[in-house]
Amino acid sequence: MKIPFVDLLPQYLEVKRAVDDGLAQLIGSSSFIGGGPVREFEAALAKEEERGFAVGVKSGTAALQLVFEGLDLPPGSEIITTTHTAVPTVEAILRAGCKAVLCDIHPGTYQLSAGAAAAAVGPRTAVLLPVHLYGFPAPLRELSALAGRKGLTLVEDVAQAQGARLDGRRVGTWGAAACFSFFPSKCLGGFGDSGAVTTDQEALASRVRALSNHGRHEKFTHEVVGVNERIDTLQAVVLSAKLPRLGEWNAMRRRAAGWYMEGLAGVGDVVLPQAPEGAEAAWHLFVIRTGERDALAKHLAGRGVQTGMHYPVPVHLHPAYESLGYRKGSFPEAEAACGSILSLPIYPHITEAQVAYVVEQVAGHFGK
């Protein structure tokens, strides 16, 4: 049996008519930039995410950078985040002209350590940026309280956790703004790169929109120096067709995660994912931990099971980020995790039989 790491075709087949009709109308109208489909998607997204405003942009990276620029932070402002994340999280901080202050993780949840974040706050700290990694909520209770005590802005990176909740409250609604990625494999994925910013602050939404559109609200009046980071209308059409299925698809991910949790309990030295108390995860990824990571990955590949690693190298150990001043050993929990984590296949339409096969092959590696 061959098990892909992710299979997006079943999602498309569910929404094929809506997508095909929408794209045909778009092509027929030749309105490829902005227009009604973008406005409709943004309105639907704002409602889904329980925020007042949504602004579609070209990628999740663009969403982060535009929010940091839109906040109009003082020069030299510091943004605290985790070293255990996709590099674009930190890339956006630096591209926005800010300083990234990295922190270690909680070893059980792999999320930004609230204690480490609190210890990293200094006189130049302006923003706390939790990343809801793997589909699990970061420690929002503690970080929200910390932001309130220190007068900091909380911005959420929700690229991997759209639809997750903590204490019944949707992630992305705890801070001043939330940043989303609609990369094809995300919980809500398009047909290419795209992203969005959601917020209740009209002024911030307006500024992000202007910055993403060459610094303008009106065609020939450029108010600030901006960039071209608008969402493509094609992506808006696709995402509008998929958005109503997000809740159902996340529930299917949770079901698949449950199969894994039951099947892998007690297998070898496998450490299963640990959801924070009070969390309803989106399960964008199913990440296990084992001291035999590389051997297990090779074993699974030989039996038709694709796996991934999210992420084998923490941000501070990439050559591009040496200038941040961290070295090997700076964040021991993240470094240890990066050497032992393995992502198993998970997507909404994975079947119980497919998960059972993956479990069987993992157990077989450990001689069970």
Side-chain angles (χ1 to χ4, degrees):
M1 185 181 293
K2 293 188 179 300
I3 311 295
F5 185 66
V6 62
D7 184 0
L8 301 177
L9 181 60
Q11 288 189 17
Y12 166 64
L13 294 178
E14 278 198 28
V15 296
K16 184 178 188 301
R17 175 166 295 190
V19 168
D20 291 357
D21 289 350
L23 293 180
Q25 292 174 23
L26 176 64
I27 294 167
S29 69
S30 298
S31 299
F32 299 116
I33 304 295
V38 170
R39 292 192 296 270
E40 291 164 11
F41 170 64
E42 290 176 337
L45 181 65
K47 182 177 180 181
E48 171 71 23
E49 295 303 326
E50 303 172 10
R51 300 308 294 257
F53 306 94
V55 182
V57 295
K58 196 160 287 185
S59 67
T61 313
L64 289 163
Q65 182 174 337
L66 291 169
V67 164
F68 302 145
E69 294 178 0
L71 289 171
D72 198 22
L73 302 172
S77 291
E78 295 178 351
I79 297 178
I80 293 174
T81 194
T82 173
T83 190
H84 187 44
T85 182
V87 162
T89 301
V90 179
E91 175 185 280
I93 294 172
L94 302 186
R95 287 288 181 180
C98 299
K99 179 181 178 181
V101 176
L102 304 183
C103 291
D104 213 341
I105 61 170
H106 183 286
T109 65
Y110 310 116
Q111 305 297 320
L112 171 66
S113 164
V121 174
R124 292 184 176 272
T125 305
V127 174
L128 296 179
L129 177 63
V131 178
H132 303 301
L133 201 68
Y134 304 155
F136 291 97
L140 289 168
R141 307 179 197 97
E142 297 87 344
L143 294 175
S144 179
L146 176 62
R149 290 196 308 271
K150 298 294 186 178
L152 307 176
T153 300
L154 182 66
V155 175
E156 299 174 66
D157 183 336
V158 196
Q160 296 188 8
Q162 189 171 5
R165 292 183 178 270
L166 181 66
D167 298 339
R169 182 175 174 181
R170 198 175 181 102
V171 301
T173 64
W174 294 66
C179 300
F180 297 83
S181 168
F182 305 129
F183 185 80
S185 63
K186 294 295 195 290
C187 293
L188 177 66
F191 281 6
D193 279 317
S194 55
V197 173
T198 61
T199 181
D200 287 331
Q201 299 180 17
E202 184 174 8
L204 179 58
S206 178
R207 186 166 173 82
V208 167
R209 188 179 302 281
L211 286 167
S212 71
N213 189 29
H214 300 293
R216 64 187 176 182
H217 289 293
E218 299 178 6
K219 188 169 184 179
F220 296 113
T221 304
H222 296 263
E223 302 160 15
V224 294
V225 177
V227 290
N228 179 10
E229 294 286 5
R230 302 168 299 210
I231 191 171
D232 289 334
T233 308
L234 180 150
Q235 301 303 335
V237 169
V238 172
L239 293 166
S240 288
K242 286 188 168 187
L243 184 60
R245 306 293 181 100
L246 176 62
E248 178 184 353
W249 287 345
N250 279 354
M252 293 165 72
R253 288 175 178 274
R254 288 193 293 273
R255 180 181 64 182
W259 294 332
Y260 273 128
M261 294 292 281
E262 181 178 356
L264 291 174
V267 172
D269 70 342
V270 169
V271 178
L272 294 171
Q274 178 181 325
E277 183 181 355
E280 180 179 80
W283 290 102
H284 168 58
L285 296 167
F286 190 91
V287 180
I288 64 171
R289 189 167 177 176
T290 169
E292 301 183 26
R293 189 265 305 279
D294 294 343
L296 176 59
K298 183 178 180 180
H299 172 86
L300 292 175
R303 285 151 182 80
V305 179
Q306 293 183 350
T307 59
M309 295 181 191
H310 300 83
Y311 298 91
V313 181
V315 173
H316 69 283
L317 295 184
H318 285 277
Y321 298 94
E322 289 179 357
S323 62
L324 296 179
Y326 305 108
R327 297 291 181 266
K328 188 172 183 179
S330 294
F331 305 113
E333 296 294 353
E335 292 172 26
C338 287
S340 59
I341 50 177
L342 185 68
S343 303
L344 301 180
I346 191 168
Y347 46 91
H349 297 83
I350 194 170
T351 67
E352 188 171 8
Q354 288 175 311
V355 171
Y357 179 78
V358 177
V359 168
E360 179 183 354
Q361 301 313 311
V362 173
H365 170 75
F366 289 102
K368 295 192 67 174

